[in-house]
């Protein structure tokens, strides 16, 4: 699959002139923040079923599976490498859903700017970013002024 998205890193701000610190990264509810990949998958699925799907437009099972793979990888990376999930947002858009995953680490994963190729040899890891790159579009990584980062992607559902 050809990579047709753009990958950006920066700390100057998000589209529209807002800074990452000014962008709220919501969770499903104040009483149950998303802290695991399983919770993130359940929330993303609910958003698709309750907000994105409508008469004449419904995500296919394959598109939802792709979405859940991307959610799993982003959330697992935040937990494993980013000091935990600091925020998780799923926003419906015309072509799919935008995910925004915030963690506590300022470290930008070098694999985020890769080709999407899988590791030459199996080491038990290193497959997450290639999956994200192959299934998502408009990948951005924004450092937050107060620390941490927000990784945002668009996952097509059409």
């Amino acid at each position: 699959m050809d990579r047709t998205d753009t990958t950006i890193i920066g700390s100057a701000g998000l589209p529209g002139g807002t800074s990452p610190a000014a962008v709220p990264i919501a969770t499903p509810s104040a009483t149950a923040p998303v802290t695991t990949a399983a919770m993130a998958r359940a929330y993303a699925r609910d958003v698709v079923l309750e907000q994105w799907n409508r008469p004449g437009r419904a995500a296919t099972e394959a598109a939802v599976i792709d979405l859940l793979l991307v959610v799993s990888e982003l959330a697992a990376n935040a937990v494993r490498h980013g000091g935990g999930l600091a925020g998780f947002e799923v926003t419906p858009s015309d072509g799919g859903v935008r995910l925004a995953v915030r963690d506590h680490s300022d470290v930008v994963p070098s694999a985020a700017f890769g080709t999407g190729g899988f590791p030459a040899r199996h080491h038990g890891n290193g497959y997450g970013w290639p999956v994200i790159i192959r299934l998502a579009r408009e990948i951005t990584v924004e450092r937050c002024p107060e620390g941490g980062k927000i990784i945002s992607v668009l996952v097509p559902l059409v």
Side-chain angles (χ1 to χ4, degrees):
M1 176 182 290
D2 290 334
R3 184 170 176 193
T4 59
D5 66 310
T6 57
T7 304
I8 317 168
I9 178 171
S11 57
L14 296 174
T18 59
S19 71
V23 177
I25 301 296
T27 56
S29 73
T31 59
V34 173
T35 57
T36 68
M39 292 171 76
R41 285 190 303 271
Y43 180 55
R45 181 187 299 271
D46 287 349
V47 168
V48 170
L49 294 176
E50 296 169 11
Q51 298 178 33
W52 196 86
N53 285 351
R54 61 180 181 227
R57 181 182 85 178
T60 65
E61 181 179 0
V64 172
I65 289 169
D66 287 352
L67 170 66
L68 297 180
L69 280 169
V70 173
V71 168
S72 290
E73 293 302 334
L74 288 172
N77 284 347
V79 170
R80 178 179 285 161
H81 306 291
L85 277 166
F88 180 76
E89 183 178 274
V90 181
T91 307
S93 70
D94 288 339
V97 294
R98 179 160 304 281
L99 305 173
V101 178
R102 185 170 183 172
D103 66 29
H104 299 284
S105 172
D106 293 348
V107 177
V108 175
S110 60
F113 307 104
T115 63
F118 290 109
R121 289 189 276 178
H122 178 69
H123 298 286
N125 58 20
Y127 295 92
W129 269 106
V131 167
I132 294 165
I133 289 168
R134 288 168 180 236
L135 298 177
R137 304 290 175 265
E138 300 175 21
I139 299 167
T140 62
V141 180
E142 296 285 335
R143 286 191 176 105
C144 300
E146 70 281 1
K149 66 184 167 297
I150 298 170
I151 297 175
S152 177
V153 304
L154 175 68
V155 181
L157 294 178
V158 292

